Amino acid sequence: MAIKIFFPSACSAAENGLLIGRWMAQHKSAVVLATLHFPFIPGNVRSYLSQMERKTGLSLSVIGTWSHSKKDKDEKMDNFLGELGSIFSHQPWLRMARESSSKFWDCKVERMEGEESEDVVLVYYDQRKLMLSELHSASEYSEIAAVFDTVAKHQPLFAKDKYDEGPVNLTHWQSDGVEASIIVELCKQASVPLCAVISFFVSLITSICNLRVLSGKPLSFLWSKMSTCEQLGRRLENLRLISSSEKAQDHTTFMRKANTFLSLFLDVTLGILLMSWLYQGNHIGQLADALIPVADRIALELQELLQWLMGAPAGLKMNRALDEVLGRFFMYHIHLWISYIRLMSPFIEVILWYIGLSACLGLTVALSILSDIIALLTFHIYCFYVYGARLYCFKMHGLSSLWRLFRGKKWNVLRQRVDSCSYDLDQLFLGTLLFTILLFLLPTTALYYLVFTLLRLLVIMVQGVIQMTINLLSSLPFFALLQRLCRSYRLAAGVKFRMLEQQQGKPLRLLMQINPLPYGQVLDTYRLPSSRCYPKDSWGSLCKKLFIGEVIYPWKQKEEKQD
Amino acid sequence: MSPVLQSSNPGAYTDVTWGQDTTSSPDPVENHTPWKKVLYERQPFPDNYVDKSFLEELRKNIYVRRYSYWAVVFESAVVIHQLCSVCSFSVIWWYMDQDLLSPQKLCGFGLAFTLLGYLIFDAVDKGAGRKESGRTRWRDLKSSLVFVAFTYGFSPVLKTLTESISTDTIYAMSVLMLIGHLVFFDYGANAAVVSNTLSINMAIFASVCLASRLPRSLHAFTMVTFAIQIFALWPSLQRKLRAYTPRTYTCVTFIFAVFSVSGLLSISSVGALLFFLLLISVTFLCPYFLIRLQLFKDNIHGPWDEAEIKEDLSRFLD
């Protein structure tokens, strides 16, 4: 196995000196982190390195010498560098030399334990990118992960530039001046009091929400049904996460915080844009004027649908008397609904005006309010659906048990099976009479049920689309996507090597480049948890529920999940 | 007219030679060890060896029964009764549908006959069956009240029930249900297909279907009541008559058959002729064939397991 030397490309133009880095014996590779220049005192260098070791927790030592001859070979210098090896006792000892006349570098490995001299592979790497990037999907003990880790952990080593006074003089990627931004520093300073204020308000609101009056039985039931309340709760949770004063422990927590912050920021920006559009040019009034006719129109369409059902819809054989009764019942309901809307109409604009203010809390809040408004405006459809489903369910259950009676069987509850049973004559007569009546009335009920179920599914679908938009907005990792787009090296999936030159007897030179993480994986890794869960029903069980007439609720799944 | 049976001695051993096996297998006489029908001992015979003594236990026609012709004819009266019940029900329905028979009249006749039947039902065995079942008269009254009240209450619903469904569909359904009633009726045979409950239910279903075609709700009420009387109450009275006074039973069967044929005759002569032929064949021809065909019976029984083909249907179930 060849010895690999990871060499920072920033140091290739450095003056003569010593190589500082880390030797990884299990991978047979050396990571060069910086070059040390004359003049230095060996004792000072050792104490500086041990101080660094204490800070980072990783071993750091002088692992060899570096000579960069500008014009021609300097015998004196070579000898001097050779003697330095006896001062610093490191095994193995690297001797690297670069000549300006040749593209190939000399690299010798001395004092290697028990083995012959081996091939050497030189790998150039970009120290800045390696330090900032986060390697994904690598096992803990892989060589590349160890290299990334070593470079990332020696950040304090790079904090000094050549203008700083100190016992040692180093060359690395930041040696010409430390990178920093005034804006970032100012933001960091300003965020501390801001976070304190926000967290105070968050705790205040949380304590109000936890009051016994608000979490009592009837109100808590109401809260759990409205998606707005859920969205507000989520918003509070996000704020608490962002404004916490603790420093992010690891990369995952940091990314989560950053993603949450950015998505919140984007959300609120979009919400404020929406609000400014709404309040400019009296859009609220237009909306209110449009809403009432729409609700009226829906009611009218429903009325026409009912009238069609009360006739002979699609030539189906319906029971005329039952058809009329059901139709009149639903008509009366629509009549009630219309009068309710008429009663509401003067106040709609005011209500909308106040609701519009909530858009400043974010687009998702506005969307969930829209979803709730849709649920309220289609309440009659929901009622129809429930009546139809209950009636149909009753019929189906009656028919199934009377069909058992018809065959002379019964359902044994204790054994969970169908047993044969001998019935009395009057039981038989009554059962069969009811069975016949229910059987002939079934098509009528089933048709009403079918039509109202389709309407209900339509409403659920609209609400589902809104919910999906909300989920998308609140779970997309915007920060990670932005990083992937602009600084693709920050999220690394692995590395690739490009061969520079190769010649017999000289070390192979490779350039290490970072493979960015694919977008799909970015989404998978950094997706924010969305509180609202989708209905977990499979299509089959949904169809079965629809067939036997069980009432389906979009929010039912959540309660079952908690059990 | 007693038939001659092929093997009148059940349990007789029949000696049948089993040619090929004795020549192909090693001769057990040489070994001088008799073959035993056991698996737990090692024997000098191949696995597929069949001994001469194997067929000694063969028996033929052990479960055969001898029938006497007139007994079979008497038994066939149950079938005649049921056929006549269905026939007279249809005839009465037709009369009601054509408005030739007023519901009040039918109701009156039905009530009178039911009361008469009720009295006879108790008189025939002098109250022994009632004591045995522990059924009180109060319970009978309650049952009949339930019948009348529910039928009367539901009769307006019944009238509008099948309004939008085509008459042909109703006829087809009723015919199917009445045939089902005849198939599943308990004629005294011990078979899996017999289900008294299903048979009565099918008849009631058919009667409700037919009653919904009648012009007024009183018609529907009368029709369903009549169906109960003829399909549920009449067979139980018949059973009792047959058990206690077979002579009267034969008489009643004859009168009932004559009435239904003549009723059918007033609607359609061809139908009446066909129905008459059917009755004759069921009463006289079918018993003759039953006894004649006993001659060709050839069942063998022995100490072997019969090969049974059991189709595994469970894989279709889930």
Side-chain angles (χ1 to χ4, degrees):
Chain A
M1 202 167 81
I3 293 174
K4 284 152 294 216
I5 301 173
F6 289 90
F7 194 82
S9 45
C11 294
S12 58
E15 299 288 322
N16 295 346
L18 293 175
L19 296 171
I20 290 180
R22 185 178 170 214
W23 170 254
M24 291 181 290
Q26 75 265 39
H27 302 304
K28 270 194 168 181
S29 58
V31 183
V32 176
L33 291 168
T35 52
L36 183 75
H37 303 298
F38 309 113
F40 58 82
I41 303 164
N44 280 358
V45 173
R46 283 211 186 93
S47 68
Y48 179 73
L49 289 184
S50 60
Q51 195 187 330
M52 272 297 154
E53 272 183 15
R54 248 176 284 130
K55 261 189 202 167
T56 60
L58 292 175
S59 66
L60 187 67
S61 50
V62 175
I63 55 170
T65 61
W66 163 250
S67 79
H68 185 186
S69 51
K70 291 274 160 53
K71 295 181 231 46
D72 47 352
K73 266 202 158 178
D74 193 350
E75 288 291 327
K76 232 178 174 178
M77 198 61 193
D78 270 2
N79 289 339
F80 174 63
L81 289 174
E83 282 159 16
L84 276 177
S86 56
I87 300 174
F88 298 100
S89 55
H90 188 265
Q91 280 184 333
W93 186 252
L94 309 175
R95 293 196 59 179
M96 296 178 66
R98 180 187 174 187
E99 283 170 48
S100 51
S101 55
S102 156
K103 267 204 265 181
F104 299 98
W105 297 13
D106 267 330
C107 197
K108 284 180 212 142
V109 182
E110 293 171 358
R111 292 188 238 159
M112 191 68 188
E113 288 156 4
E115 286 171 49
E116 302 294 301
S117 64
E118 288 181 71
D119 290 340
V120 175
V121 179
L122 264 175
V123 181
Y124 295 96
Y125 68 90
D126 189 334
Q127 217 164 20
R128 176 169 180 270
K129 288 184 178 174
L130 224 60
M131 192 185 90
L132 292 175
S133 79
E134 171 75 21
L135 187 67
H136 293 77
S137 65
S139 64
E140 206 172 325
Y141 299 107
S142 82
E143 186 175 359
I144 295 298
V147 171
F148 270 71
D149 191 44
T150 308
V151 177
K153 278 193 177 159
H154 282 96
Q155 207 172 358
L157 190 72
F158 312 131
K160 245 177 204 169
D161 56 21
K162 65 184 177 188
Y163 308 109
D164 280 337
E165 293 295 319
V168 290
N169 191 7
L170 295 173
T171 298
H172 46 80
W173 70 274
Q174 272 196 141
S175 57
D176 288 337
V178 177
E179 227 178 43
S181 156
I182 295 175
I183 298 170
V184 170
E185 290 305 314
L186 278 178
C187 283
K188 273 184 188 168
Q189 294 298 322
S191 68
V192 174
L194 201 66
C195 281
V197 171
I198 291 175
S199 58
F200 171 72
F201 274 112
V202 167
S203 60
L204 195 72
I205 294 170
T206 314
S207 58
I208 289 174
C209 287
N210 287 341
L211 279 183
R212 188 167 285 182
V213 181
L214 289 178
S215 54
K217 186 70 191 169
L219 279 177
S220 67
F221 178 76
L222 195 66
W223 299 149
S224 67
K225 297 288 172 282
M226 283 172 67
S227 64
T228 312
C229 294
E230 197 174 328
Q231 203 57 40
L232 286 176
R234 241 178 94 70
R235 188 51 29 102
L236 216 62
E237 193 79 14
N238 287 349
L239 276 177
R240 190 177 303 140
L241 178 71
I242 290 168
S243 65
S244 72
S245 52
E246 291 164 28
K247 196 174 184 299
Q249 294 297 324
D250 53 351
H251 182 75
T252 322
T253 333
F254 167 73
M255 287 302 273
R256 179 142 176 244
K257 254 182 156 175
N259 281 329
T260 313
F261 175 72
L262 210 64
S263 86
L264 194 70
F265 179 74
L266 202 73
D267 192 16
V268 170
T269 315
L270 285 176
I272 287 175
L273 276 180
L274 178 75
M275 196 170 73
S276 68
W277 178 79
L278 275 180
Y279 287 91
Q280 267 173 9
N282 196 23
H283 277 112
I284 291 262
Q286 289 173 13
L287 209 65
D289 288 345
L291 203 61
I292 296 295
V294 165
D296 264 353
R297 181 70 194 274
I298 291 175
L300 212 69
E301 294 276 341
L302 274 177
Q303 223 159 8
E304 272 175 24
L305 180 74
L306 280 175
Q307 236 128 32
W308 178 68
L309 283 179
M310 279 166 76
L316 287 173
K317 314 209 163 172
M318 315 262 280
N319 189 283
R320 190 178 43 77
L322 182 67
D323 204 18
E324 207 134 295
V325 168
L326 284 177
R328 281 202 189 145
F329 174 70
F330 288 124
M331 285 287 216
Y332 177 65
H333 219 277
I334 287 180
H335 172 73
L336 276 184
W337 177 251
I338 289 179
S339 46
Y340 164 61
I341 290 275
R342 290 279 142 76
L343 206 69
M344 284 275 289
S345 56
F347 310 109
I348 286 275
E349 190 170 347
V350 184
I351 293 172
L352 274 185
W353 199 87
Y354 282 111
I355 282 176
L357 284 180
S358 71
C360 71
L361 285 174
L363 187 65
T364 54
V365 176
L367 278 178
S368 31
I369 287 181
L370 178 70
S371 163
D372 283 345
I373 287 179
I374 288 176
L376 276 179
L377 281 185
T378 56
F379 188 68
H380 46 335
I381 291 178
Y382 175 70
C383 282
F384 290 170
Y385 167 67
V386 171
Y387 298 150
R390 288 274 178 251
L391 204 62
Y392 179 75
C393 186
F394 163 72
K395 284 236 161 125
M396 288 306 270
H397 276 115
L399 269 180
S400 67
S401 59
L402 287 176
W403 170 242
R404 282 196 285 273
L405 179 134
F406 192 83
R407 290 175 305 149
K409 304 272 167 68
K410 71 165 182 192
W411 177 252
N412 190 333
V413 187
L414 293 179
R415 300 198 171 192
Q416 295 287 309
R417 64 170 193 200
V418 175
D419 282 348
S420 62
C421 170
S422 68
Y423 289 96
D424 281 346
L425 195 58
D426 42 356
Q427 284 171 330
L428 282 185
F429 170 69
L430 262 185
T432 311
L433 198 67
L434 283 178
F435 176 77
T436 319
I437 291 173
L438 284 186
L439 188 70
F440 283 111
L441 291 186
L442 184 69
T444 315
T445 330
L447 186 70
Y448 272 86
Y449 172 68
L450 181 75
V451 169
F452 292 134
T453 305
L454 287 181
L455 281 179
R456 172 79 185 143
L457 285 180
L458 195 73
V459 172
I460 287 184
M461 233 159 69
V462 170
Q463 279 186 311
V465 166
I466 291 177
Q467 193 61 50
M468 265 161 69
T469 319
I470 291 172
N471 271 348
L472 197 73
L473 269 178
S474 57
S475 72
L476 264 190
F478 286 107
F479 184 68
L481 285 177
L482 213 65
Q483 270 195 338
R484 170 67 184 84
L485 200 67
C486 303
R487 303 259 189 281
S488 54
Y489 57 84
R490 294 291 290 255
L491 305 172
V495 292
K496 63 184 174 206
F497 297 97
R498 198 154 65 82
M499 203 168 75
L500 293 177
E501 286 97 12
Q502 190 179 22
Q503 200 185 42
Q504 198 62 42
K506 298 279 184 180
L508 173 70
R509 295 170 64 200
L510 296 174
L511 182 66
M512 186 164 86
Q513 287 169 326
I514 292 175
N515 268 341
L517 203 63
Y519 279 103
Q521 224 168 330
V522 171
L523 284 181
D524 272 356
T525 320
Y526 294 108
R527 182 194 300 279
L528 292 173
S530 59
S531 62
R532 183 90 173 195
C533 53
Y534 294 103
K536 291 289 186 291
D537 261 357
S538 66
W539 288 104
S541 74
L542 187 73
C543 286
K544 196 182 158 209
K545 270 187 179 173
L546 285 179
F547 179 71
I548 62 170
E550 206 170 302
V551 179
I552 48 166
Y553 295 105
W555 57 78
K556 188 92 176 201
Q557 310 309 320
K558 211 180 156 196
E559 288 161 18
E560 281 173 359
K561 209 183 165 194
Q562 279 169 357
D563 287 342
Chain B
M1 275 235 18
S2 69
V4 182
L5 295 175
Q6 195 181 19
S7 166
S8 57
N9 185 11
Y13 298 123
T14 318
D15 191 32
V16 178
T17 50
W18 198 267
Q20 268 73 35
D21 271 330
T22 46
T23 53
S24 63
S25 59
D27 194 7
V29 183
E30 285 176 13
N31 296 328
H32 298 295
T33 43
W35 176 78
K36 280 197 275 182
K37 203 175 106 179
V38 289
L39 284 177
Y40 51 81
E41 274 177 21
R42 189 168 287 282
Q43 299 180 69
F45 301 102
D47 285 349
N48 60 351
Y49 174 73
V50 180
D51 199 67
K52 270 183 179 172
S53 64
F54 182 70
L55 282 178
E56 279 175 2
E57 290 177 52
L58 177 79
R59 299 168 191 199
K60 294 184 91 177
N61 291 341
I62 48 174
Y63 296 121
V64 86
R65 285 165 61 181
R66 295 183 201 216
Y67 297 106
S68 89
Y69 181 72
W70 288 108
V72 179
V73 170
F74 178 75
E75 290 296 326
S76 75
V78 188
V79 185
I80 300 293
H81 258 292
Q82 229 38 49
L83 285 174
C84 289
S85 291
V86 170
C87 172
S88 51
F89 177 76
S90 318
V91 169
I92 296 279
W93 177 80
W94 193 82
Y95 271 111
M96 295 275 277
D97 197 35
Q98 300 293 318
D99 238 346
L100 297 173
L101 181 68
S102 75
Q104 288 88 351
K105 216 182 266 178
L106 180 63
C107 215
F109 274 117
L111 195 64
F113 273 112
T114 310
L115 280 177
L116 187 68
Y118 187 70
L119 290 179
I120 292 172
F121 189 80
D122 274 352
V124 159
D125 61 348
K126 299 174 184 69
R130 181 173 289 280
K131 262 181 221 149
E132 202 176 299
S133 63
R135 210 180 148 85
T136 56
R137 278 175 209 286
W138 170 240
R139 212 170 141 199
D140 287 345
L141 187 66
K142 257 202 311 197
S143 284
S144 51
L145 271 180
V146 165
F147 281 136
V148 172
F150 272 90
T151 319
Y152 196 75
F154 275 121
S155 56
V157 178
L158 293 185
K159 205 183 79 60
T160 60
L161 195 61
T162 59
E163 245 174 16
S164 55
I165 294 174
S166 127
T167 310
D168 292 342
T169 315
I170 294 292
Y171 286 165
M173 217 143 64
S174 312
V175 167
L176 220 70
M177 286 289 158
L178 285 175
I179 288 175
H181 166 75
L182 287 178
V183 167
F184 292 113
F185 189 79
D186 182 12
Y187 298 108
N190 190 14
V193 75
V194 170
S195 161
N196 217 2
T197 316
L198 187 58
S199 143
I200 290 178
N201 281 335
M202 281 179 138
I204 295 172
F205 190 93
S207 73
V208 170
C209 283
L210 285 179
S212 66
R213 287 285 111 172
L214 292 177
R216 278 196 309 280
S217 54
L218 189 62
H219 287 72
F221 166 71
T222 319
M223 206 61 224
V224 175
T225 325
F226 180 64
I228 292 286
Q229 284 158 358
I230 202 164
F231 289 123
L233 301 180
W234 179 223
S236 52
L237 180 62
Q238 271 176 45
R239 230 162 274 148
K240 214 157 230 193
L241 280 180
R242 193 154 65 97
Y244 289 95
T245 55
R247 210 172 283 264
T248 329
Y249 177 68
T250 321
C251 252
V252 167
T253 312
F254 185 69
I255 295 167
F256 193 38
V258 167
F259 262 103
S260 36
V261 170
S262 56
L264 197 58
L265 194 63
S266 67
I267 298 172
S268 129
S269 48
V270 178
L273 185 66
L274 286 178
F275 186 66
F276 179 70
L277 287 180
L278 176 71
L279 289 187
I280 290 295
S281 65
V282 166
T283 322
F284 298 110
L285 218 56
C286 290
Y288 174 72
F289 279 127
L290 175 74
I291 288 161
R292 229 16 243 171
L293 295 178
Q294 291 286 329
L295 292 176
F296 303 103
K297 195 156 185 163
D298 189 14
N299 279 5
I300 55 173
H301 302 266
W304 52 77
D305 294 329
E306 279 176 46
E308 254 181 286
I309 300 168
K310 276 183 190 159
E311 255 188 277
D312 189 13
L313 293 173
S314 62
R315 68 203 154 97
F316 295 112
L317 291 179
D318 46 23

